[in-house]
């Protein structure tokens, strides 16, 4: 192995902080006995995550290192440690996921963050890029939506106990806890200097969720943040190469994952929450078609799906608002914070539309006859 300066040859696209991280990771790999040779390439990996990822090649093997964001949240290291455990368990399932190579929960190595190494995923993040095939073939673009649903169904069918994840969450009372838990999160944002709560219809949505909560639900393994930006698509087709970013995975209610996908998917009026490259290409499967596909493949009861869709808008909107709050005191870029707040507003608008649709009275028989 060459001396340390040469280890970073090829890493010129990295920030100084990432170069330092990579140096420390390489030293850790050497001490752990992982095969290590000269570094041949190193570059940052982008995507829908705020975590830091670096792809590098050493001794003819490629790796991706994943660590927390530069401004760690209090929960970051616990979440990454949880993600490591989940990836180890998913290796015993058919769910598409990143393949874990090694992990380190000793924060002294990087000085702040837990990290792990995984195999690179041969896929594209359609949030920020699409392949020529995806761009040129509308049939493939439509199929991507159905493939996402199929991946969700396969995840929801995993037996958490069988793969060693039965302890991961508290399924009893999962739905009951959601509203109050996320309202407390908004209360915490108000401790940030300069933050003023400005989430339209927050209380109306919270009240509706409390009043219409399903009486029963079927617990299962859920991703917790399932949207296009957290999925890698095969560049040569519509298949799912891997679901990524498992930090929010828990044993809860998998129908919330479906609601999350629908909340972030291109809407019937053509609007797209994320502004993804895939949606910009157009001609995607509609939200109704995704629901129909899920219903064909899953035995889960979709009677209360609109409730899960509203909860997804509520929870995701508050989650994104956290980035806006952190941006006010410099813990996140201000432009990113403003972008996130705008998405929070749009999510709550979507929630109100769903609520109004859910409470709209059905036409009387006579009125229906007049309209026919």
């Amino acid at each position: 192995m060459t001396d340390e300066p040469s280890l970073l040859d090829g890493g010129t696209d990295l920030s100084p902080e990432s170069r330092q991280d990579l140096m420390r990771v390489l030293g850790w790999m050497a001490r752990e006995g992982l095969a290590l040779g000269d570094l041949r390439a190193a570059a940052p990996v982008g995507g829908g995550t705020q975590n830091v990822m670096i792809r590098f090649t050493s001794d003819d093997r490629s790796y991706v290192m994943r660590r927390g964001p530069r401004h760690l949240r209090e929960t970051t290291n616990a979440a990454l440690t949880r993600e490591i455990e989940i990836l180890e368990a998913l290796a015993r399932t058919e769910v598409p996921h990143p393949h874990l190579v090694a992990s380190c929960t000793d924060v002294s190595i990087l000085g702040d963050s837990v990290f792990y190494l995984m195999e690179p995923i041969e896929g594209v993040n359609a949030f920020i890029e699409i392949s020529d095939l995806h761009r040129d073939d509308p049939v493939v673009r439509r199929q991507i939506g159905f493939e996402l649903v199929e991946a969700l169904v396969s995840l929801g069918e995993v037996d958490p106990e069988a793969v060693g994840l039965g302890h991961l969450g508290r399924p009893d009372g999962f739905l009951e806890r959601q509203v109050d838990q996320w309202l407390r999160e908004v209360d915490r944002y108000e401790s940030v200097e300069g933050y003023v709560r400005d989430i339209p219809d927050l209380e109306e949505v919270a009240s509706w969720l409390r009043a219409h909560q399903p009486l029963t639900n079927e617990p299962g393994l859920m991703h917790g943040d399932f949207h296009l930006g957290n999925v890698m698509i095969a560049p040569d087709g519509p298949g799912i190469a891997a679901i990524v970013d498992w930090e929010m995975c828990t044993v809860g209610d998998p129908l919330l994952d479906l609601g999350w996908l629908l909340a972030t998917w291109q809407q019937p009026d053509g609007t797209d929450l994320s502004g993804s490259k895939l949606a910009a290409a157009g001609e995607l499967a509609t939200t109704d078609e995704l629901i129909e596909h899920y219903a064909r493949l899953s035995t889960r009861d979709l009677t209360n799906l609109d409730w899960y869709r509203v909860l997804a808008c509520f929870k995701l909107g508050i989650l994104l608002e956290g980035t806006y709050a952190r941006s006010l005191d410099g813990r996140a870029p201000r432009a990113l914070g403003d972008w996130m707040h705008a998405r929070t507003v749009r999510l709550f608008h979507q929630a109100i539309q769903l609520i109004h649709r859910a409470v709209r009275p059905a036409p009387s028989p006579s009125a229906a006859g007049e309209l026919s």
Side-chain angles (χ1 to χ4, degrees), residues 35-339:
L36 193 63
D38 291 341
L39 189 77
R40 296 178 54 195
V45 178
T49 176
Q50 296 181 55
N51 286 316
V52 175
M53 293 191 292
I54 303 169
R55 178 168 179 161
F56 63 97
T57 299
S58 177
D59 200 22
D60 295 324
R61 182 175 183 182
S62 293
Y63 306 85
V64 173
M65 185 277 287
R66 176 172 161 91
R67 55 150 288 156
R70 291 300 168 198
H71 296 285
L72 293 187
R73 298 185 291 275
E74 292 180 0
T75 58
T76 294
N77 284 325
L80 282 171
T81 300
R82 179 189 185 97
E83 187 172 8
I84 290 166
E85 181 183 13
I86 291 162
L87 292 179
E88 289 175 340
L90 288 175
R92 300 191 289 277
T93 75
E94 298 300 318
V95 176
H97 66 281
H99 295 291
L100 190 70
V101 176
S103 61
C104 179
T105 57
D106 180 358
V107 297
S108 70
I109 302 299
L110 295 185
D112 59 350
S113 180
V114 167
F115 69 92
Y116 64 84
L117 301 177
M118 58 183 170
E119 295 179 359
I121 301 164
E122 299 308 321
V124 297
N125 184 329
F127 178 84
I128 58 173
E129 63 175 333
I130 54 177
S131 69
D132 291 341
L133 175 65
H134 300 154
R135 185 179 299 105
D136 297 338
D137 193 333
V139 174
V140 172
R141 291 198 300 275
R142 274 181 52 79
Q143 186 61 30
I144 286 173
F146 300 131
E147 296 280 348
L148 290 170
V149 166
E150 291 171 20
L152 264 190
V153 171
S154 71
L155 174 61
E157 291 178 346
V158 171
D159 180 349
E161 294 288 347
V163 297
L165 296 177
H167 65 285
L168 199 62
R170 293 182 294 142
D172 291 342
F174 174 79
L175 297 183
E176 290 88 340
R177 292 191 298 271
Q178 295 301 305
V179 172
D180 289 342
Q181 174 184 335
W182 288 94
L183 286 177
R184 287 194 296 271
E185 192 71 11
V186 178
D187 290 341
R188 281 193 282 270
Y189 300 159
E190 293 186 337
S191 66
V192 176
E193 184 176 356
Y195 179 78
V196 177
R197 182 184 303 195
D198 185 22
I199 303 176
D201 303 308
L202 175 65
E203 294 301 332
E204 180 180 350
V205 174
S207 296
W208 185 88
L209 286 168
R210 289 193 181 103
H212 295 84
Q213 180 189 309
L215 297 178
T216 60
N217 69 299
E218 182 183 349
L221 194 64
M222 55 178 288
H223 180 271
D225 191 18
F226 191 86
H227 60 83
L228 191 62
N230 280 340
V231 177
M232 303 296 286
I233 311 296
D236 57 354
I240 307 304
I243 305 169
V244 299
D245 290 6
W246 290 88
E247 294 173 60
M248 294 175 64
C249 177
T250 190
V251 180
D253 191 328
L255 287 182
L256 183 53
D257 271 346
L258 177 58
W260 207 275
L261 173 62
L262 297 171
T264 55
W265 195 250
Q266 187 178 56
Q267 298 301 299
D269 63 3
T271 60
D272 177 57
L273 185 75
S274 64
S276 71
K277 295 295 185 183
L278 184 67
E283 300 180 80
L284 304 186
T286 67
T287 50
D288 283 346
E289 288 173 326
L290 298 186
I291 295 168
E292 291 167 4
H293 195 59
Y294 192 100
R296 282 193 295 269
L297 299 175
S298 174
T299 59
R300 294 183 180 275
D301 183 1
L302 300 186
T303 302
N304 296 302
L305 181 58
D306 276 353
W307 187 88
Y308 289 93
R309 296 177 70 176
V310 172
L311 176 60
C313 292
F314 176 84
K315 185 173 177 177
L316 177 56
I318 292 174
L319 185 66
L320 299 183
E321 185 77 352
T323 301
Y324 171 64
R326 290 190 295 275
S327 75
L328 297 176
D329 64 3
R331 289 178 292 157
R334 183 57 187 270
L336 176 63
D338 290 342
W339 189 88

